[in-house]
């Protein structure tokens, strides 16, 4: 586990967002009704299988899951950019002070309840989620390179984004 998880997670967000976008774009093209030779000439089938670039009978489902996965990286990137922007503002406004009454932001009670519910569920069941992900990824079908990469990426995310 890393010492400053939040900082490392924020620094990795641009690379993770790019990785997610590349996966979504490649799987979008795989979803077309085009032969492998036209889409990926001179690339062996084993490489395409390793990176999960084989056509599915329902490509919309697989593409939707990958878009949702990439969306989480975009949220992290957005949080990183907001934090960077706030730090730049703080550096520019070091001399300006704000009254405590002016700093209060109106809170939405529904979002606070929903956020605390999600956080409470993640705190209680995080280890079960991790174990389930390992079993699903490792025991589903034969072992290929992309599954090993996803297990490593999942371990990386668990190490960085601990609750």
């Amino acid at each position: 586990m890393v010492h400053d998880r939040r900082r490392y997670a924020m620094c990795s967000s641009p690379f993770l967002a790019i990785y997610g976008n590349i996966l979504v774009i490649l799987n979008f093209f795989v979803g077309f009704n085009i032969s492998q030779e036209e889409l990926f000439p001179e690339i062996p089938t084993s490489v395409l299988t390793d990176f999960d670039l084989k056509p599915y009978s329902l490509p919309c489902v697989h593409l939707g899951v990958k878009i949702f996965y990439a969306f989480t990286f975009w949220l992290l990137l957005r949080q990183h950019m907001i934090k960077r922007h706030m730090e730049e503002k703080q550096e520019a406004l070091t001399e300006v002070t704000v009254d405590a009454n002016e700093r209060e932001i109106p809170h939405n009670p529904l979002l606070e309840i929903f956020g605390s519910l999600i956080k409470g569920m993640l705190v209680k069941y995080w280890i079960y989620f991790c174990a389930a992900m390992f079993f699903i990824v490792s025991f589903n079908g034969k072992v290929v390179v992309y599954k090993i990469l996803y297990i490593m990426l999942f371990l990386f995310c668990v190490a960085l984004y601990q609750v």
Side-chain angles (χ1 to χ4, degrees):
M1 303 295 166
V2 292
H3 179 61
D4 191 6
R5 295 182 307 259
R6 181 178 171 89
R7 186 172 67 89
Y8 287 113
M10 293 293 183
C11 290
S12 69
S13 65
F15 306 109
L16 291 173
I18 290 170
Y19 169 73
N21 282 344
I22 290 171
L23 273 181
V24 167
I25 291 169
L26 287 175
N27 278 285
F28 176 75
F29 288 121
V30 168
F32 291 146
N33 198 9
I34 301 174
S35 70
Q36 175 184 340
E37 292 79 25
E38 291 176 340
L39 196 55
F40 300 110
E42 299 180 14
I43 296 179
T45 307
S46 60
V47 173
L48 295 175
T49 303
D50 287 345
F51 289 103
D52 198 28
L53 295 174
K54 296 298 287 182
Y56 291 100
S57 59
L58 294 172
C60 298
V61 174
H62 295 278
L63 187 62
V65 169
K66 288 175 184 167
I67 288 172
F68 179 71
Y69 187 64
F71 180 70
T72 59
F73 294 142
W74 276 104
L75 288 177
L76 183 65
L77 179 63
R78 182 176 183 269
Q79 185 179 5
H80 175 63
M81 297 305 290
I82 288 172
K83 182 181 178 216
R84 183 188 289 174
H85 183 67
M86 295 284 280
E87 287 174 355
E88 289 174 0
K89 265 186 164 178
Q90 289 292 339
E91 290 175 5
L93 299 175
T94 54
E95 298 296 321
V96 177
T97 57
V98 179
D99 190 21
N101 293 335
E102 294 177 11
R103 265 190 273 171
E104 287 191 27
I105 300 171
H107 297 287
N108 187 348
L110 182 63
L111 285 177
E112 288 180 10
I113 292 171
F114 184 68
S116 65
L117 178 71
I118 295 288
K119 190 172 183 178
M121 295 272 292
L122 285 176
V123 168
K124 286 182 185 176
Y125 302 111
W126 183 248
I127 192 69
Y128 297 118
F129 175 73
C130 293
M133 285 302 295
F134 282 123
F135 285 119
I136 288 171
V137 171
S138 62
F139 296 127
N140 189 9
K142 65 179 185 172
V143 177
V144 289
V145 174
Y146 81 90
K147 287 184 181 180
I148 295 170
L149 290 174
Y150 279 144
I151 289 172
M152 289 176 24
L153 183 63
F154 183 72
L155 283 174
F156 177 71
C157 290
V158 166
L160 288 180
Y161 313 129
Q162 286 183 11
V163 176

